[in-house]
Amino acid sequence: MELPRKILIGEGVVSQVGTLIRSLDAGALRVAIITGAVVRARAGDECRKSLEKAALKSSWHVVSDASMDTVAKLREKVTDLSDFVIGFGGGRSVDVAKMTAFKIGKPFLSVPTSASHDGISSPFVSVRGIDKPYSIKANTPIGVVADTHLMSQAPPRLLAGGCGDLVAKITAVKDWELARDEKGEYFGSYAANLAHMSAKIILDESERLKRKSQFSIRTIVEALISAGVAACIAGSSRPCSGAEHLFSHAVEYVVGPSYGLHGERVGIGTIMMAKLHGLDWERVVETLSNVGAPTKAKQIELTEDHVVNALTAAQSLRPDRYTILSKIKLDKKSAYSLAKSVKVI
Ligand SMILES: [Zn+2]
């Protein structure tokens, strides 16, 4: 089990990045910061000053996509020049930095500037150009610095997406239970409960989370970090990712890469998988609407055919992961009825 060693959450904590790295005692002297152009312009100075104050040398690398090509280019640049990697920005920067750090065997600090998915604290990474159409395992971040002030400046859609990735844990955990009961798969109760609790907080608090306050951001980011830690404990993405994620991956890889954010697709997938599991799918719809996340395919430009195609292809992307879609095999007709019955289409 590999867990993050230090987690800082709060307003303005980006100014503590340097001292946190020093306190980790990971032998860091030269730090590579992998970031996006907007984040660098918006908060790069604060981060740079904090590193300077801690007498850490820094090199900055701006990336614009999360692909293995970008990782390969970064590897060439940072391998001999850095002994520590920071992913500073949104999902793409964090993913590329995590993968680069993994490839060069250096510690990785996650400094997310939006609360949009649980990869901010987990070892899992989603990068284009790997041979698998789902997240793969890299190293767990050695620490997480989640500055809620920076997160409050991110587009609200990202935070709503984070809630989609969180409600997903109710169906992900159900799928894991199913795999335990029907296939004898290892099931970790602690990891399952932790992931489930992250979803429950969002389901219970969605009325209050409507307002984009520091409370909302903190609640959502804490839940995302806990969910990521659940994956660290399980040693697999099982507690966080079931058939609703397979649906999302199918949209990405079968339909096309530009439909909605990860958490938006996953949230819509959760509505449909909750129905298949016999869970209260209407509560999932209500929660997603409360936080401003989409509940209908057309809100992320998906057509009825797209949804049907993604639903029927989802399980084939990852046959080894037993889910409700392994048990209830959807054909075009039943996939259409399912999506229609929960008003996704
Ligand atoms: Zn996810």
Side-chain angles (χ1 to χ4, degrees):
M1 218 185 271
E2 210 178 52
L3 300 169
R5 278 170 45 196
K6 290 208 172 170
I7 297 175
L8 266 182
I9 306 172
E11 282 188 78
V13 290
V14 74
S15 62
Q16 295 172 44
V17 163
T19 35
L20 180 122
I21 294 175
R22 282 285 178 202
S23 72
L24 287 167
D25 218 8
L29 290 171
R30 300 165 306 165
V31 179
I33 299 117
I34 296 170
T35 186
V38 175
V39 169
R40 183 176 182 175
R42 187 153 59 89
D45 260 2
E46 259 175 288
C47 184
R48 189 182 43 78
K49 277 184 206 151
S50 164
L51 294 168
E52 271 173 12
K53 243 166 108 182
L56 293 163
K57 277 204 176 104
S58 59
S59 62
W60 289 71
H61 309 272
V62 173
V63 295
S64 56
D65 68 14
S67 69
M68 283 310 283
D69 284 346
T70 302
V71 172
K73 283 179 201 143
L74 283 168
R75 269 180 84 168
E76 273 179 40
K77 285 187 202 158
V78 304
T79 302
D80 298 324
L81 300 172
S82 314
D83 38 39
F84 194 94
V85 178
I86 297 179
F88 179 38
R92 272 193 294 255
S93 304
V94 170
D95 272 350
V96 168
K98 197 192 288 179
M99 194 61 164
T100 305
F102 176 62
K103 291 282 183 192
I104 65 173
K106 305 290 183 204
F108 164 68
L109 178 73
S110 175
V111 188
T113 53
S114 62
S116 58
H117 64 80
D118 60 26
I120 55 183
S121 59
S122 83
F124 293 91
V125 60
S126 175
V127 178
R128 299 218 136 249
I130 47 173
D131 55 349
K132 295 192 177 63
Y134 46 84
S135 302
I136 59 159
K137 199 172 173 192
N139 284 341
T140 296
I142 190 168
V144 183
V145 176
D147 188 325
T148 51
H149 172 67
L150 286 181
M151 287 173 166
S152 71
Q153 297 175 332
R157 194 180 159 197
L158 295 171
L159 198 64
C163 293
D165 204 23
L166 284 165
V167 294
K169 309 324 175 206
I170 62 162
T171 46
V173 169
K174 273 278 169 200
D175 279 329
W176 200 8
E177 285 172 0
L178 194 69
R180 172 198 63 194
D181 297 343
E182 303 202 351
K183 294 286 156 190
E185 194 181 301
Y186 162 78
F187 178 83
S189 298
Y190 183 82
N193 278 318
L194 188 58
H196 190 263
M197 204 164 68
S198 309
K200 204 170 169 295
I201 288 166
I202 305 305
L203 288 160
D204 290 346
E205 296 279 0
S206 71
E207 276 288 333
R208 282 176 80 196
L209 297 175
K210 268 184 202 172
R211 294 175 292 280
K212 214 180 114 196
S213 59
Q214 278 293 317
F215 164 81
S216 325
I217 294 164
R218 195 174 176 108
T219 304
I220 295 164
V221 76
E222 281 180 0
L224 286 168
I225 290 172
S226 301
V229 167
C232 295
I233 293 168
S236 87
S237 60
R238 255 300 187 192
C240 296
S241 164
E244 74 300 317
H245 271 72
L246 293 180
F247 168 76
S248 165
H249 299 324
V251 169
E252 229 183 327
Y253 287 89
V254 178
V255 180
S258 52
Y259 294 89
L261 302 170
H262 172 80
E264 293 177 330
R265 294 189 301 267
V266 162
I268 289 174
T270 306
I271 301 169
M272 297 186 283
M273 301 314 149
K275 170 87 191 277
L276 289 182
H277 272 294
L279 296 170
D280 185 355
W281 61 268
E282 284 170 309
R283 191 161 177 230
V284 176
V285 172
E286 196 191 320
T287 301
L288 292 173
S289 325
N290 275 347
V291 298
T295 58
K296 294 192 186 303
K298 65 176 181 209
Q299 290 174 274
I300 55 167
E301 319 293 331
L302 288 173
T303 64
E304 291 189 356
D305 280 349
H306 288 153
V307 173
V308 168
N309 290 342
L311 279 172
T312 49
Q315 189 62 51
S316 67
L317 295 184
R318 195 166 187 181
D320 58 309
R321 174 147 292 184
Y322 192 83
T323 73
I324 193 69
L325 292 176
S326 321
K327 189 180 160 96
I328 302 175
K329 294 189 170 60
L330 296 173
D331 57 16
K332 282 194 185 297
K333 203 170 154 231
S334 50
Y336 178 83
S337 308
L338 170 65
K340 206 76 185 163
S341 71
V342 293
K343 301 184 185 79
V344 160
I345 58 174

